[in-house]
Amino acid sequence: MKIINPVKNANLLKYPYGQVYQGYGENIALYLKAIGSQGHNGIDIVAEQGTLIILTKGEIVEVKDTPEGYGKHIRLLTPPDVGGDFLELVFGHLDTINVKLGMKVEDYHVGGRMGNTGF
């Protein structure tokens, strides 16, 4: 699977040379044992705890705290593009959340702060 840069100006090299702490599909044995997944199902980006999480335009379709998974997290759907495709973005492991379910947000809305919650 090709990694698509989710953050403008992010350096998608592995930490400590870049900002990716854990890539998509890594640690198969750990995730299979812990939650039955075939590997890490996201891209963990390194930033200091408390860093603002800046959202893109879309609708908040989930706000949850799942200690066995993403911890405190937000799920956002972007508006469809010209071809009718949309992105589903999950911002996980947050310390604080500043949005509510059903909110429509614009670009640069602060969704919360970086944390270390969940698995």
Side-chain angles (χ1 to χ4, degrees):
M1 169 178 224
K2 181 180 178 190
I3 295 178
I4 298 171
N5 191 340
V7 180
K8 197 179 212 177
N9 301 320
N11 181 1
L12 292 183
L13 298 174
K14 289 290 284 194
Y15 180 81
Y17 305 104
Q19 294 167 295
V20 174
Y21 181 73
Q22 185 173 208
Y24 191 87
E26 291 185 9
N27 297 316
I28 295 167
L30 171 66
Y31 283 88
L32 193 57
K33 181 179 178 184
I35 58 175
S37 173
Q38 294 296 313
H40 186 246
N41 63 347
I43 302 168
D44 287 342
I45 297 174
V46 175
E48 289 186 34
Q49 186 149 347
T51 298
L52 295 177
I53 302 299
I54 308 299
L55 304 178
T56 190
K57 183 176 183 172
E59 181 178 351
I60 306 300
V61 296
E62 184 173 79
V63 177
K64 278 189 173 180
D65 186 358
T66 53
E68 70 285 353
Y70 293 122
K72 292 179 183 176
H73 67 278
I74 300 164
R75 190 176 303 268
L76 179 143
L77 288 181
T78 65
D81 63 15
V82 175
D85 295 326
F86 61 89
L87 292 175
E88 177 183 71
L89 304 171
V90 179
F91 300 87
H93 311 295
L94 303 177
D95 184 49
T96 60
I97 295 175
N98 298 342
V99 294
K100 299 208 181 300
L101 182 64
M103 270 181 84
K104 294 190 185 338
V105 296
E106 297 297 323
D107 289 338
Y108 307 109
H109 187 94
V110 175
R113 291 187 178 269
M114 176 83 68
N116 191 26
T117 60
F119 173 72

Short mmCIF file of all heavy atoms in Angstrom, two decimals, residues 19-89:
data_model
loop_
_atom_site.label_atom_id
_atom_site.label_comp_id
_atom_site.label_asym_id
_atom_site.label_seq_id
_atom_site.Cartn_x
_atom_site.Cartn_y
_atom_site.Cartn_z
N GLN A 19 8.86 11.72 10.53
CA GLN A 19 7.78 11.86 11.48
C GLN A 19 6.87 10.63 11.60
O GLN A 19 5.88 10.67 12.31
CB GLN A 19 6.94 13.09 11.12
CG GLN A 19 7.74 14.37 11.28
CD GLN A 19 7.06 15.55 10.65
OE1 GLN A 19 6.89 15.61 9.45
NE2 GLN A 19 6.67 16.50 11.47
N VAL A 20 7.19 9.53 10.92
CA VAL A 20 6.37 8.32 11.02
C VAL A 20 6.94 7.42 12.11
O VAL A 20 8.08 6.95 12.02
CB VAL A 20 6.31 7.55 9.68
CG1 VAL A 20 5.57 6.23 9.86
CG2 VAL A 20 5.64 8.40 8.63
N TYR A 21 6.15 7.20 13.15
CA TYR A 21 6.58 6.34 14.24
C TYR A 21 6.25 4.88 13.92
O TYR A 21 7.02 3.98 14.18
CB TYR A 21 5.90 6.76 15.55
CG TYR A 21 6.33 5.91 16.72
CD1 TYR A 21 7.60 6.08 17.26
CD2 TYR A 21 5.50 4.95 17.26
CE1 TYR A 21 8.02 5.31 18.31
CE2 TYR A 21 5.91 4.18 18.32
CZ TYR A 21 7.17 4.35 18.84
OH TYR A 21 7.59 3.57 19.89
N GLN A 22 5.06 4.68 13.35
CA GLN A 22 4.65 3.33 12.98
C GLN A 22 3.84 3.42 11.68
O GLN A 22 2.90 4.20 11.60
CB GLN A 22 3.80 2.70 14.09
CG GLN A 22 3.42 1.28 13.84
CD GLN A 22 2.73 0.63 15.02
OE1 GLN A 22 2.83 -0.55 15.17
NE2 GLN A 22 2.04 1.36 15.84
N GLY A 23 4.22 2.64 10.69
CA GLY A 23 3.56 2.70 9.40
C GLY A 23 2.44 1.69 9.26
O GLY A 23 2.24 0.82 10.12
N TYR A 24 1.73 1.80 8.16
CA TYR A 24 0.60 0.92 7.87
C TYR A 24 1.09 -0.51 7.69
O TYR A 24 2.05 -0.77 6.99
CB TYR A 24 -0.10 1.40 6.59
CG TYR A 24 -1.41 0.72 6.35
CD1 TYR A 24 -2.57 1.22 6.90
CD2 TYR A 24 -1.48 -0.43 5.59
CE1 TYR A 24 -3.79 0.60 6.69
CE2 TYR A 24 -2.69 -1.05 5.37
CZ TYR A 24 -3.83 -0.54 5.92
OH TYR A 24 -5.02 -1.16 5.71
N GLY A 25 0.41 -1.46 8.37
CA GLY A 25 0.71 -2.89 8.21
C GLY A 25 1.85 -3.41 9.06
O GLY A 25 2.16 -4.61 9.01
N GLU A 26 2.49 -2.58 9.87
CA GLU A 26 3.61 -3.03 10.69
C GLU A 26 3.14 -3.83 11.90
O GLU A 26 1.98 -3.80 12.28
CB GLU A 26 4.43 -1.83 11.16
CG GLU A 26 5.18 -1.14 10.05
CD GLU A 26 6.08 -0.02 10.54
OE1 GLU A 26 6.27 0.14 11.76
OE2 GLU A 26 6.59 0.69 9.67
N ASN A 27 4.08 -4.54 12.51
CA ASN A 27 3.88 -5.27 13.77
C ASN A 27 2.73 -6.28 13.71
O ASN A 27 1.86 -6.33 14.57
CB ASN A 27 3.67 -4.30 14.94
CG ASN A 27 4.89 -3.43 15.15
OD1 ASN A 27 6.01 -3.92 15.14
ND2 ASN A 27 4.67 -2.14 15.33
N ILE A 28 2.75 -7.11 12.68
CA ILE A 28 1.67 -8.08 12.45
C ILE A 28 1.45 -8.98 13.66
O ILE A 28 0.30 -9.14 14.11
CB ILE A 28 1.96 -8.91 11.19
CG1 ILE A 28 1.95 -8.00 9.96
CG2 ILE A 28 0.96 -10.05 11.04
CD1 ILE A 28 2.50 -8.62 8.71
N ALA A 29 2.49 -9.56 14.23
CA ALA A 29 2.34 -10.48 15.36
C ALA A 29 1.70 -9.80 16.56
O ALA A 29 0.80 -10.36 17.20
CB ALA A 29 3.69 -11.08 15.74
N LEU A 30 2.13 -8.59 16.88
CA LEU A 30 1.58 -7.84 18.02
C LEU A 30 0.09 -7.57 17.83
O LEU A 30 -0.72 -7.83 18.71
CB LEU A 30 2.33 -6.52 18.19
CG LEU A 30 1.73 -5.54 19.20
CD1 LEU A 30 1.81 -6.11 20.61
CD2 LEU A 30 2.43 -4.20 19.12
N TYR A 31 -0.30 -7.05 16.67
CA TYR A 31 -1.69 -6.69 16.44
C TYR A 31 -2.59 -7.91 16.29
O TYR A 31 -3.75 -7.89 16.69
CB TYR A 31 -1.81 -5.74 15.23
CG TYR A 31 -1.39 -4.35 15.60
CD1 TYR A 31 -0.06 -3.96 15.51
CD2 TYR A 31 -2.30 -3.44 16.10
CE1 TYR A 31 0.33 -2.69 15.90
CE2 TYR A 31 -1.92 -2.18 16.48
CZ TYR A 31 -0.59 -1.81 16.38
OH TYR A 31 -0.20 -0.55 16.77
N LEU A 32 -2.07 -8.99 15.74
CA LEU A 32 -2.84 -10.22 15.63
C LEU A 32 -3.16 -10.77 17.01
O LEU A 32 -4.31 -11.12 17.31
CB LEU A 32 -2.07 -11.25 14.81
CG LEU A 32 -2.84 -12.47 14.34
CD1 LEU A 32 -4.04 -12.06 13.51
CD2 LEU A 32 -1.93 -13.38 13.53
N LYS A 33 -2.18 -10.77 17.90
CA LYS A 33 -2.37 -11.27 19.26
C LYS A 33 -3.27 -10.34 20.08
O LYS A 33 -4.16 -10.79 20.78
CB LYS A 33 -1.01 -11.42 19.95
CG LYS A 33 -1.10 -11.94 21.36
CD LYS A 33 0.27 -12.10 21.98
CE LYS A 33 0.15 -12.58 23.41
NZ LYS A 33 1.45 -12.65 24.06
N ALA A 34 -3.04 -9.04 19.98
CA ALA A 34 -3.75 -8.08 20.84
C ALA A 34 -5.19 -7.84 20.41
O ALA A 34 -6.09 -7.82 21.24
CB ALA A 34 -2.98 -6.76 20.87
N ILE A 35 -5.41 -7.63 19.11
CA ILE A 35 -6.77 -7.25 18.68
C ILE A 35 -7.25 -8.01 17.44
O ILE A 35 -8.28 -7.67 16.87
CB ILE A 35 -6.87 -5.72 18.43
CG1 ILE A 35 -5.86 -5.26 17.38
CG2 ILE A 35 -6.70 -4.95 19.72
CD1 ILE A 35 -5.99 -3.79 17.00
N GLY A 36 -6.50 -9.02 17.01
CA GLY A 36 -6.94 -9.82 15.88
C GLY A 36 -6.79 -9.15 14.52
O GLY A 36 -7.36 -9.59 13.54
N SER A 37 -6.01 -8.08 14.46
CA SER A 37 -5.81 -7.34 13.21
C SER A 37 -4.59 -7.89 12.48
O SER A 37 -3.66 -8.40 13.09
CB SER A 37 -5.60 -5.86 13.53
OG SER A 37 -5.26 -5.15 12.37
N GLN A 38 -4.58 -7.76 11.17
CA GLN A 38 -3.46 -8.24 10.35
C GLN A 38 -2.29 -7.25 10.31
O GLN A 38 -1.46 -7.33 9.43
CB GLN A 38 -3.96 -8.52 8.93
CG GLN A 38 -4.94 -9.65 8.86
CD GLN A 38 -4.33 -10.98 9.27
OE1 GLN A 38 -3.24 -11.34 8.83
NE2 GLN A 38 -5.01 -11.69 10.13
N GLY A 39 -2.24 -6.33 11.25
CA GLY A 39 -1.16 -5.36 11.32
C GLY A 39 -1.72 -4.00 11.68
O GLY A 39 -2.94 -3.80 11.78
N HIS A 40 -0.84 -3.06 11.88
CA HIS A 40 -1.21 -1.69 12.23
C HIS A 40 -2.03 -1.10 11.11
O HIS A 40 -1.63 -1.13 9.95
CB HIS A 40 0.06 -0.87 12.48
CG HIS A 40 -0.20 0.50 12.97
ND1 HIS A 40 0.10 1.61 12.23
CD2 HIS A 40 -0.72 0.95 14.13
CE1 HIS A 40 -0.23 2.69 12.91
NE2 HIS A 40 -0.73 2.31 14.07
N ASN A 41 -3.21 -0.54 11.43
CA ASN A 41 -4.12 -0.08 10.38
C ASN A 41 -4.15 1.44 10.25
O ASN A 41 -5.19 2.02 10.00
CB ASN A 41 -5.52 -0.63 10.60
CG ASN A 41 -6.14 -0.14 11.89
OD1 ASN A 41 -5.45 0.41 12.73
ND2 ASN A 41 -7.43 -0.34 12.05
N GLY A 42 -3.00 2.05 10.41
CA GLY A 42 -2.92 3.50 10.26
C GLY A 42 -1.48 3.93 10.12
O GLY A 42 -0.58 3.11 9.95
N ILE A 43 -1.27 5.22 10.19
CA ILE A 43 0.07 5.80 10.18
C ILE A 43 0.18 6.66 11.43
O ILE A 43 -0.58 7.61 11.59
CB ILE A 43 0.30 6.68 8.94
CG1 ILE A 43 0.10 5.87 7.66
CG2 ILE A 43 1.69 7.30 8.97
CD1 ILE A 43 0.04 6.73 6.41
N ASP A 44 1.07 6.30 12.34
CA ASP A 44 1.28 7.09 13.55
C ASP A 44 2.36 8.12 13.27
O ASP A 44 3.48 7.78 12.88
CB ASP A 44 1.70 6.21 14.72
CG ASP A 44 0.56 5.36 15.26
OD1 ASP A 44 -0.60 5.67 14.97
OD2 ASP A 44 0.85 4.38 15.96
N ILE A 45 2.00 9.39 13.47
CA ILE A 45 2.90 10.50 13.20
C ILE A 45 3.39 11.07 14.52
O ILE A 45 2.60 11.31 15.43
CB ILE A 45 2.19 11.58 12.36
CG1 ILE A 45 1.80 10.97 11.00
CG2 ILE A 45 3.07 12.81 12.18
CD1 ILE A 45 0.96 11.87 10.15
N VAL A 46 4.68 11.28 14.62
CA VAL A 46 5.31 11.78 15.83
C VAL A 46 5.11 13.28 15.96
O VAL A 46 5.30 14.02 15.00
CB VAL A 46 6.83 11.50 15.81
CG1 VAL A 46 7.52 12.11 17.01
CG2 VAL A 46 7.10 10.01 15.75
N ALA A 47 4.71 13.71 17.15
CA ALA A 47 4.65 15.12 17.52
C ALA A 47 4.64 15.18 19.04
O ALA A 47 4.34 14.18 19.70
CB ALA A 47 3.42 15.81 16.94
N GLU A 48 4.94 16.32 19.59
CA GLU A 48 4.93 16.46 21.04
C GLU A 48 3.51 16.35 21.58
O GLU A 48 2.55 16.80 20.95
CB GLU A 48 5.51 17.83 21.45
CG GLU A 48 6.99 17.93 21.22
CD GLU A 48 7.55 19.23 21.77
OE1 GLU A 48 7.05 19.72 22.80
OE2 GLU A 48 8.49 19.75 21.16
N GLN A 49 3.40 15.75 22.77
CA GLN A 49 2.10 15.67 23.42
C GLN A 49 1.56 17.09 23.59
O GLN A 49 2.29 18.01 23.93
CB GLN A 49 2.20 14.99 24.78
CG GLN A 49 0.84 14.77 25.40
CD GLN A 49 0.79 13.54 26.28
OE1 GLN A 49 1.68 12.71 26.26
NE2 GLN A 49 -0.27 13.43 27.04
N GLY A 50 0.28 17.26 23.28
CA GLY A 50 -0.34 18.57 23.37
C GLY A 50 -0.36 19.34 22.06
O GLY A 50 -1.02 20.38 21.96
N THR A 51 0.34 18.82 21.03
CA THR A 51 0.33 19.48 19.72
C THR A 51 -1.10 19.56 19.21
O THR A 51 -1.87 18.60 19.32
CB THR A 51 1.20 18.69 18.71
OG1 THR A 51 2.55 18.68 19.18
CG2 THR A 51 1.14 19.30 17.32
N LEU A 52 -1.48 20.70 18.64
CA LEU A 52 -2.83 20.87 18.10
C LEU A 52 -3.06 19.92 16.93
O LEU A 52 -2.19 19.77 16.07
CB LEU A 52 -3.05 22.31 17.63
CG LEU A 52 -3.02 23.39 18.70
CD1 LEU A 52 -3.19 24.76 18.06
CD2 LEU A 52 -4.07 23.16 19.75
N ILE A 53 -4.24 19.31 16.89
CA ILE A 53 -4.66 18.47 15.77
C ILE A 53 -5.54 19.35 14.89
O ILE A 53 -6.62 19.77 15.30
CB ILE A 53 -5.45 17.24 16.27
CG1 ILE A 53 -4.61 16.40 17.24
CG2 ILE A 53 -5.96 16.42 15.09
CD1 ILE A 53 -3.33 15.85 16.66
N ILE A 54 -5.05 19.64 13.69
CA ILE A 54 -5.74 20.54 12.77
C ILE A 54 -6.50 19.70 11.74
O ILE A 54 -5.91 18.86 11.06
CB ILE A 54 -4.75 21.48 12.06
CG1 ILE A 54 -3.85 22.21 13.07
CG2 ILE A 54 -5.48 22.45 11.15
CD1 ILE A 54 -4.58 23.09 14.04
N LEU A 55 -7.80 19.95 11.64
CA LEU A 55 -8.66 19.16 10.76
C LEU A 55 -8.81 19.82 9.39
O LEU A 55 -8.53 21.00 9.22
CB LEU A 55 -10.04 18.99 11.39
CG LEU A 55 -10.06 18.38 12.78
CD1 LEU A 55 -11.49 18.32 13.31
CD2 LEU A 55 -9.42 17.01 12.79
N THR A 56 -9.31 19.04 8.47
CA THR A 56 -9.70 19.53 7.15
C THR A 56 -11.22 19.60 7.09
O THR A 56 -11.90 19.08 7.98
CB THR A 56 -9.12 18.62 6.04
OG1 THR A 56 -9.31 19.23 4.78
CG2 THR A 56 -9.77 17.25 6.06
N LYS A 57 -11.74 20.21 6.07
CA LYS A 57 -13.19 20.36 5.92
C LYS A 57 -13.86 18.99 5.89
O LYS A 57 -13.42 18.08 5.20
CB LYS A 57 -13.50 21.12 4.63
CG LYS A 57 -14.96 21.38 4.43
CD LYS A 57 -15.21 22.20 3.19
CE LYS A 57 -16.68 22.51 3.06
NZ LYS A 57 -16.94 23.46 1.98
N GLY A 58 -14.95 18.87 6.65
CA GLY A 58 -15.69 17.62 6.66
C GLY A 58 -16.71 17.59 7.78
O GLY A 58 -16.99 18.60 8.42
N GLU A 59 -17.25 16.39 7.99
CA GLU A 59 -18.24 16.18 9.05
C GLU A 59 -17.70 15.16 10.05
O GLU A 59 -17.15 14.13 9.66
CB GLU A 59 -19.55 15.66 8.46
CG GLU A 59 -20.62 15.44 9.52
CD GLU A 59 -21.95 14.98 8.95
OE1 GLU A 59 -22.11 14.99 7.71
OE2 GLU A 59 -22.82 14.63 9.75
N ILE A 60 -17.86 15.46 11.33
CA ILE A 60 -17.43 14.56 12.39
C ILE A 60 -18.48 13.45 12.51
O ILE A 60 -19.63 13.71 12.83
CB ILE A 60 -17.28 15.31 13.74
CG1 ILE A 60 -16.36 16.52 13.60
CG2 ILE A 60 -16.82 14.35 14.83
CD1 ILE A 60 -14.95 16.21 13.16
N VAL A 61 -18.06 12.22 12.20
CA VAL A 61 -19.01 11.10 12.21
C VAL A 61 -18.78 10.14 13.37
O VAL A 61 -19.57 9.21 13.58
CB VAL A 61 -18.97 10.32 10.86
CG1 VAL A 61 -19.45 11.23 9.72
CG2 VAL A 61 -17.59 9.76 10.58
N GLU A 62 -17.72 10.38 14.16
CA GLU A 62 -17.50 9.56 15.35
C GLU A 62 -16.60 10.31 16.31
O GLU A 62 -15.61 10.91 15.91
CB GLU A 62 -16.84 8.22 14.96
CG GLU A 62 -16.66 7.27 16.13
CD GLU A 62 -16.16 5.92 15.66
OE1 GLU A 62 -14.95 5.79 15.40
OE2 GLU A 62 -16.98 5.00 15.55
N VAL A 63 -16.98 10.29 17.57
CA VAL A 63 -16.16 10.82 18.67
C VAL A 63 -16.25 9.77 19.77
O VAL A 63 -17.33 9.54 20.31
CB VAL A 63 -16.67 12.19 19.18
CG1 VAL A 63 -15.84 12.66 20.36
CG2 VAL A 63 -16.66 13.22 18.06
N LYS A 64 -15.14 9.09 20.06
CA LYS A 64 -15.18 7.97 21.01
C LYS A 64 -13.90 7.91 21.82
O LYS A 64 -12.89 8.51 21.47
CB LYS A 64 -15.32 6.64 20.27
CG LYS A 64 -16.69 6.26 19.86
CD LYS A 64 -16.69 4.83 19.35
CE LYS A 64 -18.08 4.35 19.08
NZ LYS A 64 -18.08 2.98 18.58
N ASP A 65 -13.97 7.08 22.85
CA ASP A 65 -12.78 6.71 23.62
C ASP A 65 -12.79 5.19 23.73
O ASP A 65 -13.64 4.61 24.40
CB ASP A 65 -12.79 7.35 25.01
CG ASP A 65 -11.51 7.10 25.79
OD1 ASP A 65 -10.61 6.39 25.27
OD2 ASP A 65 -11.41 7.60 26.91
N THR A 66 -11.89 4.53 23.01
CA THR A 66 -11.78 3.08 23.05
C THR A 66 -10.38 2.72 23.55
O THR A 66 -9.42 2.72 22.78
CB THR A 66 -12.03 2.46 21.66
OG1 THR A 66 -11.16 3.10 20.72
CG2 THR A 66 -13.47 2.65 21.21
N PRO A 67 -10.26 2.41 24.85
CA PRO A 67 -8.95 2.11 25.43
C PRO A 67 -8.20 0.96 24.74
O PRO A 67 -6.98 0.95 24.70
CB PRO A 67 -9.27 1.75 26.88
CG PRO A 67 -10.58 2.41 27.15
CD PRO A 67 -11.32 2.38 25.84
N GLU A 68 -8.94 0.01 24.14
CA GLU A 68 -8.30 -1.13 23.48
C GLU A 68 -7.94 -0.83 22.02
O GLU A 68 -7.37 -1.68 21.35
CB GLU A 68 -9.21 -2.36 23.56
CG GLU A 68 -10.46 -2.28 22.69
CD GLU A 68 -11.57 -1.37 23.20
OE1 GLU A 68 -11.50 -0.85 24.33
OE2 GLU A 68 -12.54 -1.16 22.45
N GLY A 69 -8.25 0.37 21.57
CA GLY A 69 -7.98 0.72 20.17
C GLY A 69 -7.35 2.08 20.04
O GLY A 69 -6.27 2.33 20.55
N TYR A 70 -8.07 2.99 19.37
CA TYR A 70 -7.56 4.33 19.10
C TYR A 70 -7.53 5.25 20.31
O TYR A 70 -7.09 6.39 20.20
CB TYR A 70 -8.41 5.02 18.04
CG TYR A 70 -8.35 4.42 16.66
CD1 TYR A 70 -9.51 3.96 16.04
CD2 TYR A 70 -7.16 4.34 15.96
CE1 TYR A 70 -9.47 3.43 14.76
CE2 TYR A 70 -7.11 3.81 14.69
CZ TYR A 70 -8.27 3.36 14.10
OH TYR A 70 -8.23 2.85 12.83
N GLY A 71 -8.04 4.81 21.45
CA GLY A 71 -8.14 5.71 22.60
C GLY A 71 -9.15 6.80 22.27
O GLY A 71 -10.14 6.58 21.58
N LYS A 72 -8.89 8.01 22.76
CA LYS A 72 -9.75 9.14 22.42
C LYS A 72 -9.51 9.46 20.96
O LYS A 72 -8.37 9.72 20.55
CB LYS A 72 -9.40 10.37 23.27
CG LYS A 72 -9.73 10.20 24.73
CD LYS A 72 -9.33 11.45 25.51
CE LYS A 72 -9.59 11.24 26.98
NZ LYS A 72 -9.13 12.40 27.77
N HIS A 73 -10.59 9.43 20.15
CA HIS A 73 -10.39 9.64 18.72
C HIS A 73 -11.58 10.31 18.05
O HIS A 73 -12.68 10.34 18.58
CB HIS A 73 -10.06 8.33 18.01
CG HIS A 73 -11.17 7.34 17.99
ND1 HIS A 73 -11.44 6.49 19.05
CD2 HIS A 73 -12.09 7.04 17.04
CE1 HIS A 73 -12.48 5.72 18.74
NE2 HIS A 73 -12.89 6.03 17.53
N ILE A 74 -11.28 10.85 16.87
CA ILE A 74 -12.24 11.54 16.01
C ILE A 74 -12.22 10.85 14.65
O ILE A 74 -11.14 10.54 14.14
CB ILE A 74 -11.82 13.01 15.79
CG1 ILE A 74 -11.73 13.78 17.09
CG2 ILE A 74 -12.75 13.70 14.80
CD1 ILE A 74 -10.96 15.10 16.94
N ARG A 75 -13.38 10.63 14.07
CA ARG A 75 -13.47 10.13 12.69
C ARG A 75 -14.18 11.21 11.88
O ARG A 75 -15.24 11.68 12.27
CB ARG A 75 -14.25 8.82 12.66
CG ARG A 75 -14.20 8.11 11.32
CD ARG A 75 -14.92 6.77 11.39
NE ARG A 75 -14.41 5.89 12.41
CZ ARG A 75 -13.46 4.98 12.26
NH1 ARG A 75 -12.91 4.83 11.07
NH2 ARG A 75 -13.07 4.22 13.26
N LEU A 76 -13.57 11.61 10.76
CA LEU A 76 -14.08 12.70 9.94
C LEU A 76 -14.24 12.22 8.50
O LEU A 76 -13.37 11.52 7.98
CB LEU A 76 -13.07 13.86 10.00
CG LEU A 76 -13.35 15.10 9.20
CD1 LEU A 76 -12.91 16.33 9.98
CD2 LEU A 76 -12.65 15.09 7.86
N LEU A 77 -15.35 12.57 7.87
CA LEU A 77 -15.55 12.31 6.44
C LEU A 77 -15.44 13.63 5.69
O LEU A 77 -16.10 14.60 6.04
CB LEU A 77 -16.94 11.72 6.17
CG LEU A 77 -17.17 10.28 6.60
CD1 LEU A 77 -18.58 9.84 6.24
CD2 LEU A 77 -16.15 9.34 5.99
N THR A 78 -14.59 13.64 4.66
CA THR A 78 -14.46 14.84 3.83
C THR A 78 -15.61 14.88 2.84
O THR A 78 -16.23 13.86 2.55
CB THR A 78 -13.12 14.83 3.06
OG1 THR A 78 -13.12 13.75 2.13
CG2 THR A 78 -11.94 14.75 4.00
N PRO A 79 -15.91 16.05 2.30
CA PRO A 79 -16.92 16.13 1.24
C PRO A 79 -16.44 15.33 0.02
O PRO A 79 -15.23 15.21 -0.20
CB PRO A 79 -17.00 17.61 0.90
CG PRO A 79 -16.33 18.32 2.02
CD PRO A 79 -15.36 17.36 2.62
N PRO A 80 -17.36 14.82 -0.80
CA PRO A 80 -16.94 14.08 -1.99
C PRO A 80 -16.24 15.00 -2.99
O PRO A 80 -16.56 16.17 -3.10
CB PRO A 80 -18.25 13.53 -2.57
CG PRO A 80 -19.34 14.29 -1.90
CD PRO A 80 -18.81 14.87 -0.65
N ASP A 81 -15.26 14.42 -3.69
CA ASP A 81 -14.58 15.19 -4.74
C ASP A 81 -15.41 15.12 -6.03
O ASP A 81 -16.52 14.58 -6.03
CB ASP A 81 -13.14 14.70 -4.94
CG ASP A 81 -13.06 13.25 -5.42
OD1 ASP A 81 -14.09 12.69 -5.87
OD2 ASP A 81 -11.96 12.68 -5.35
N VAL A 82 -14.86 15.60 -7.12
CA VAL A 82 -15.58 15.64 -8.39
C VAL A 82 -16.03 14.24 -8.83
O VAL A 82 -17.10 14.06 -9.38
CB VAL A 82 -14.70 16.30 -9.49
CG1 VAL A 82 -15.37 16.24 -10.84
CG2 VAL A 82 -14.39 17.73 -9.11
N GLY A 83 -15.23 13.23 -8.53
CA GLY A 83 -15.56 11.86 -8.89
C GLY A 83 -16.48 11.16 -7.91
O GLY A 83 -16.85 10.01 -8.09
N GLY A 84 -16.86 11.86 -6.84
CA GLY A 84 -17.74 11.28 -5.84
C GLY A 84 -17.02 10.55 -4.72
O GLY A 84 -17.65 9.97 -3.83
N ASP A 85 -15.68 10.57 -4.73
CA ASP A 85 -14.91 9.90 -3.68
C ASP A 85 -14.71 10.83 -2.49
O ASP A 85 -14.64 12.05 -2.64
CB ASP A 85 -13.54 9.48 -4.22
CG ASP A 85 -13.64 8.43 -5.30
OD1 ASP A 85 -14.55 7.58 -5.22
OD2 ASP A 85 -12.81 8.46 -6.23
N PHE A 86 -14.62 10.24 -1.31
CA PHE A 86 -14.34 11.01 -0.10
C PHE A 86 -13.28 10.29 0.70
O PHE A 86 -12.97 9.13 0.44
CB PHE A 86 -15.62 11.21 0.74
CG PHE A 86 -16.23 9.91 1.20
CD1 PHE A 86 -15.86 9.33 2.39
CD2 PHE A 86 -17.18 9.26 0.42
CE1 PHE A 86 -16.40 8.14 2.81
CE2 PHE A 86 -17.73 8.06 0.83
CZ PHE A 86 -17.34 7.49 2.03
N LEU A 87 -12.70 11.00 1.65
CA LEU A 87 -11.73 10.40 2.56
C LEU A 87 -12.36 10.24 3.92
O LEU A 87 -13.12 11.09 4.38
CB LEU A 87 -10.49 11.29 2.71
CG LEU A 87 -9.59 11.44 1.50
CD1 LEU A 87 -8.49 12.46 1.81
CD2 LEU A 87 -8.98 10.11 1.11
N GLU A 88 -12.02 9.14 4.58
CA GLU A 88 -12.38 8.94 5.98
C GLU A 88 -11.07 9.06 6.75
O GLU A 88 -10.14 8.29 6.53
CB GLU A 88 -12.99 7.55 6.19
CG GLU A 88 -13.30 7.28 7.64
CD GLU A 88 -13.82 5.87 7.85
OE1 GLU A 88 -13.03 4.92 7.73
OE2 GLU A 88 -15.02 5.75 8.13
N LEU A 89 -10.98 10.05 7.61
CA LEU A 89 -9.77 10.30 8.38
C LEU A 89 -10.04 10.02 9.85
O LEU A 89 -11.06 10.44 10.38
CB LEU A 89 -9.33 11.76 8.21
CG LEU A 89 -9.11 12.23 6.78
CD1 LEU A 89 -8.91 13.74 6.74
CD2 LEU A 89 -7.94 11.51 6.16
#
